[in-house]
Amino acid sequence: MNIAVLCSGNGSNLQAIIDAVESGYIKSRIALVVSDNKNAFALERAKKAGIETLILNPKDFKSREDFDKEIVRELKKKDVGLVVLAGFMRLMSSYFVKEYKDRIMNIHPALLPSFKGTHGIKDALEYGVRVTGPTVHFVDDKLDHGAIILQRTVEVKDDDTEETLLERVHAEEHKIYPEAVKLFVEGRLKVEGRRVKISNQ
Ligand code: GRF
């Protein structure tokens, strides 16, 4: 199965998935890395790994749907079976979600449904929770809302700052995202309403 990874920034999760493909943990191929930001470091990571990249500037498109249609066209050309959002800072249109129903994943740096949105780590820290951690979920047309695939907990320490907590949350992200992709590629995820069942083999 071919995978596409969509990124806007650093791409440390992309790197974790590249490493997992290269080590054979994920038996698949990353056919394309797409970015809406020409300066994303993720693009450097992709090039270094010999993966094709595509940069699209949202300003060149009339609407969100037109932008998404262009991505979907490119994904279909590459026969992509799984779309992985890794720090992709855009909401997907319902067109995109319909085209790839139950085949788009996202990672969020808090335990959903808590602390949705772009500041999941800061918001959890400021709220004063004792545990937080990343969530991998399927994407539907509401923000940070689709069925949950994997979550991992991280304890919040009294002296944590946003930076120290982010470091530990990211370390867990880099474990569960490759794990979720592997489960999908092996056909072991089954979506039943809001619940995702994971089979052993
Ligand atoms: C991660 O914290 C992820 O949870 C959130 O965006 C960040 C992406 O980081 N969706 P990176 O670009 O993978 O380093």
Side-chain angles (χ1 to χ4, degrees):
M1 175 193 298
N2 281 340
I3 300 172
V5 186
L6 278 52
C7 310
S8 303
N10 178 24
S12 66
N13 282 285
L14 165 67
Q15 190 65 56
I17 294 165
I18 291 174
D19 294 347
V21 168
E22 286 181 352
S23 74
Y25 177 72
I26 296 173
K27 291 188 179 41
S28 184
R29 175 176 168 264
I30 305 173
L32 189 64
V33 168
V34 182
S35 183
D36 61 338
N37 168 14
K38 66 178 181 2
N39 298 317
F41 186 62
L43 292 166
E44 301 303 317
R45 297 179 189 271
K47 280 177 203 149
K48 198 162 166 230
I51 300 165
E52 198 177 312
T53 58
L54 172 71
I55 304 164
L56 294 175
N57 183 349
K59 288 191 186 132
D60 294 339
F61 297 85
K62 268 197 287 192
S63 64
R64 181 185 303 280
E65 187 159 317
D66 280 0
F67 180 85
D68 283 1
K69 275 189 175 154
E70 180 66 22
I71 299 184
V72 167
R73 243 194 309 275
E74 294 296 327
L75 300 185
K76 294 212 162 145
K77 272 194 222 160
K78 301 265 177 223
D79 206 15
V80 164
L82 173 65
V83 181
V84 176
L85 309 185
F88 191 59
M89 302 307 285
R90 289 177 61 83
L91 269 179
M92 315 308 280
S93 63
S94 38
Y95 167 79
F96 200 132
V97 173
K98 250 185 237 141
E99 286 291 319
Y100 280 90
K101 186 168 165 22
D102 297 339
R103 294 187 296 152
I104 312 170
M105 281 183 189
N106 182 42
I107 189 154
H108 181 73
L111 293 170
L112 292 175
S114 292
F115 309 116
K116 295 178 180 180
T118 47
H119 305 290
I121 294 179
K122 182 169 178 271
D123 292 347
L125 188 63
E126 282 177 359
Y127 194 89
V129 293
R130 289 291 181 189
V131 283
T132 185
T135 303
V136 180
H137 63 94
F138 283 113
V139 171
D140 64 12
D141 49 13
K142 295 192 199 101
L143 177 71
D144 298 331
H145 175 267
I148 291 170
I149 302 165
L150 294 175
Q151 293 185 300
R152 200 64 44 88
T153 55
V154 171
E155 275 187 41
V156 182
K157 296 179 185 165
D158 287 351
D159 59 357
D160 262 329
T161 61
E162 208 182 318
E163 291 68 36
T164 58
L165 185 57
L166 179 138
E167 202 175 305
R168 297 204 308 290
V169 171
H170 273 194
E172 292 306 317
E173 289 188 357
H174 301 157
K175 292 180 204 155
I176 63 167
Y177 219 180
E179 192 180 330
V181 171
K182 175 188 171 73
L183 289 168
F184 184 93
V185 166
E186 292 177 359
R188 291 164 61 190
L189 299 179
K190 194 164 163 226
V191 186
E192 292 176 6
R194 277 220 53 90
R195 300 189 67 188
V196 177
K197 302 282 168 65
I198 302 176
S199 64
N200 283 334
Q201 268 320 318

